[in-house]
């Protein structure tokens, strides 16, 4: 069992969302502002729908933190759904059902299979929990994990690299500045591509359509040797990919050069090793994305995730009505045109959680001071002979 774990709870239009995070070391200084900052970043983004005008996500800490420091016990986090005031009767925990049932499933959504699997008759019973509103709590948990990593000199940042087929010009982007120079609306570091992307999103909105895209998450300062080649479920690349794939609407993940590995020969993929004048090993490239043999190799970690276009289209697709078994057009709930910038913030959170888990597994998780001492002793050992 991993030392650091979390659960989320809550429906999209229920009273609140909750998370319990267990396993953060004691003695970590944390601030509400750091959590709220990431919650606000997740709410931004060109292409979001009307819901984000209603919500102003703010965390409420209910356990595990005292005077700004973690105690080592489970941390309970809560975010209220302001929109619940418009949905109270339809989302009541008890009493008779009110409001019409949603019965027209959306292709690409959890609606159809969820209804059959859970033996429900109202699509709302499925969509309320499958909604990406749940990612609010992943971001809150991830913000605490980022604080933990920051205390160890590790940072997690992200950038959007493509939306609706329009990619950034990577040759123009100074990678050391990612996280500093990103726009707030798109989390993108190439303003020229950003303008084209905004026009593309605007067009999709006019067409009643939706757009997907791709984002990159980068981890800097990670010690070498997190994860392991010893067993399949300890390989960190697999765990990072699983964590990113678990984000709603993610359909592909790449590590380092990713899909290019299917095209280029080994001589153009593997990162050659050299010795500098002090006998230290260095590399000129990082196509492995900081991961070799399922372990971090001390280089920057780079993972990319692809998000599909959101399945709620204002020009709905052909589908079926579950109640009448007839052909209909899919239901159209209010939704976003594009949520790739928001997903990139969720990606940061999921990567931070996995790296924090791997740190706790290797270096312990009772007290922050012990984790720091263990990392220092380990770095001292593996530094030798390099
Ligand atoms: C979502 C539908 C929309 C999004 C929502 C995810 O919500 P609503 O149905 O209330 O308009 O805005 O995302 C969020 C609420 C959020 O906080 O990210 C869906 O169906 O997945």
């Amino acid at each position: 069992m991993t030392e650091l774990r979390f659960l989320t709870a809550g429906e999209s239009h229920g009273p609140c969302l909750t998370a319990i995070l267990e396993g953060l070391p004691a003695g970590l200084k944390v601030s509400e502002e750091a959590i709220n900052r990431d919650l606000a970043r997740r709410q931004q983004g060109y292409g979001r729908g009307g819901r984000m005008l209603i919500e102003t996500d703010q965390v409420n800490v209910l356990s595990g933190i005292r005077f700004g420091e973690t105690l080592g016990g489970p941390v309970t986090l809560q975010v209220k759904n302001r929109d619940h005031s418009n949905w109270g009767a339809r989302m009541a925990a008890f009493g008779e059902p009110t409001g019409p049932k949603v019965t027209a499933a959306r292709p690409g959504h959890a609606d159809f299979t969820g209804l059959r699997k859970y033996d429900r008759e109202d699509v709302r019973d499925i969509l309320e929990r499958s909604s990406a509103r749940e990612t609010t709590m992943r971001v809150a948990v991830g913000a605490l994990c980022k604080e933990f990593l920051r205390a160890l000199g590790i940072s997690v940042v992200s950038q959007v690299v493509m939306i609706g087929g329009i990619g950034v010009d990577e040759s123009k982007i100074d990678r050391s500045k990612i996280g500093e120079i990103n726009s707030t609306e798109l989390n993108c570091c190439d303003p020229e591509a950003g303008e084209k992307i905004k026009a593309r999103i605007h067009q999709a909105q006019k067409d009643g359509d939706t757009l997907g895209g791709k984002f990159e998450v980068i981890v800097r300062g990670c010690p070498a040797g997190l994860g392991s080649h010893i067993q399949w479920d300890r390989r960190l690349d697999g765990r990072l990919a699983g964590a990113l794939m678990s984000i709603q609407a993610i359909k592909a993940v790449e590590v380092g050069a990713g899909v290019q590995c299917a095209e280029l020969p080994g001589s153009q993929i593997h990162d050659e090793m050299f010795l500098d004048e002090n006998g230290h090993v260095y590399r000129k490239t990082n196509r492995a994305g900081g991961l070799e043999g399922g372990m971090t190799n001390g280089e920057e970690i780079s993972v990319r995730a692809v998000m599909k276009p959101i399945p709620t289209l204002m020009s709905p697709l052909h589908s079926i009505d579950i109640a009448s078994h007839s052909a209909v057009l899919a239901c159209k709930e209010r939704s976003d045109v594009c949520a790739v910038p928001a997903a990139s913030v969720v990606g940061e959170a999921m990567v931070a959680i996995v790296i924090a888990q791997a740190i706790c597994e290797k270096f312990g998780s009772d007290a922050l001071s012990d984790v720091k001492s263990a990392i220092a002793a380990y770095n001292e050992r593996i530094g030798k002979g390099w």
Side-chain angles (χ1 to χ4, degrees), residues 12-13 42-43 48-52 55 57 83 87 106 109 127 130-136 310 312 333-336 342:
S12 178
H13 303 97
R42 195 201 68 91
Q43 286 201 267
R48 300 305 301 272
R51 177 74 184 272
M52 289 305 104
E55 305 295 344
D57 294 337
D83 202 19
W87 286 77
R106 288 160 293 177
H109 213 279
L127 70 83
S130 64
S131 164
R133 175 85 185 134
E134 183 263 347
T135 61
T136 309
I310 288 166
T312 310
E333 291 251 329
R334 170 193 66 193
S335 192
D336 309 314

Side-chain angles (χ1 to χ4, degrees), residues 280-297:
H280 292 133
V281 179
Y282 73 96
R283 320 232 189 179
K284 293 177 183 169
T285 54
N286 181 22
R287 299 185 199 104
L291 288 148
E292 288 173 310
M295 293 173 281
T296 53
N297 64 5

Side-chain angles (χ1 to χ4, degrees), residues 71-256:
L71 303 176
V75 178
T76 309
L77 304 168
Q78 185 194 60
V79 172
K80 292 211 163 75
N81 287 321
R82 292 172 92 181
D83 202 19
H84 180 63
S85 57
N86 304 316
W87 286 77
R90 277 177 290 172
M91 292 303 294
F94 301 104
E96 290 303 309
T98 57
K101 282 184 184 151
V102 182
T103 51
R106 288 160 293 177
H109 213 279
D111 300 349
F112 183 55
T113 305
L115 270 193
R116 289 182 297 159
K117 177 176 163 69
Y118 289 93
D119 196 15
R120 309 304 300 164
E121 290 176 351
D122 186 347
V123 169
R124 181 152 305 288
D125 290 348
I126 304 305
L127 70 83
E128 284 290 335
R129 183 63 190 155
S130 64
S131 164
R133 175 85 185 134
E134 183 263 347
T135 61
T136 309
M137 298 324 292
R138 303 198 200 199
V139 168
V141 167
L144 286 178
C145 290
K146 277 194 203 171
E147 291 279 88
F148 171 42
L149 297 178
R150 198 171 297 130
L152 306 174
I154 303 167
S155 65
V156 183
V157 295
S158 70
Q159 64 161 341
V160 166
V161 294
M162 181 177 281
I163 287 179
I166 299 171
V168 298
D169 181 348
E170 306 226 16
S171 67
K172 276 200 217 150
I173 296 171
D174 176 353
R175 287 187 63 81
S176 69
K177 296 262 170 20
I178 296 170
E180 282 170 36
I181 54 162
N182 310 42
S183 69
T184 51
E185 325 176 271
L186 290 173
N187 197 23
C188 167
C189 300
D190 174 354
E192 226 175 293
E195 286 311 310
K196 289 185 197 148
I197 287 172
K198 282 202 279 185
R200 181 79 190 84
I201 293 173
H202 189 61
Q203 187 58 46
Q205 183 176 28
K206 283 214 295 210
D207 298 343
D209 216 332
T210 57
L211 296 176
K214 192 195 277 201
F215 62 84
E216 177 182 21
V217 181
I218 297 164
V219 186
R220 304 185 184 121
C222 209
L226 296 183
S228 176
H229 63 291
I230 294 290
Q231 199 59 263
W232 69 271
D233 57 353
R234 294 178 60 193
R235 287 183 172 264
L236 198 70
D237 39 9
R239 289 166 58 176
L240 285 167
L244 287 168
M245 285 293 279
S246 80
I247 301 171
Q248 290 80 339
I250 299 300
K251 287 305 234 184
V253 175
E254 291 181 276
V255 177

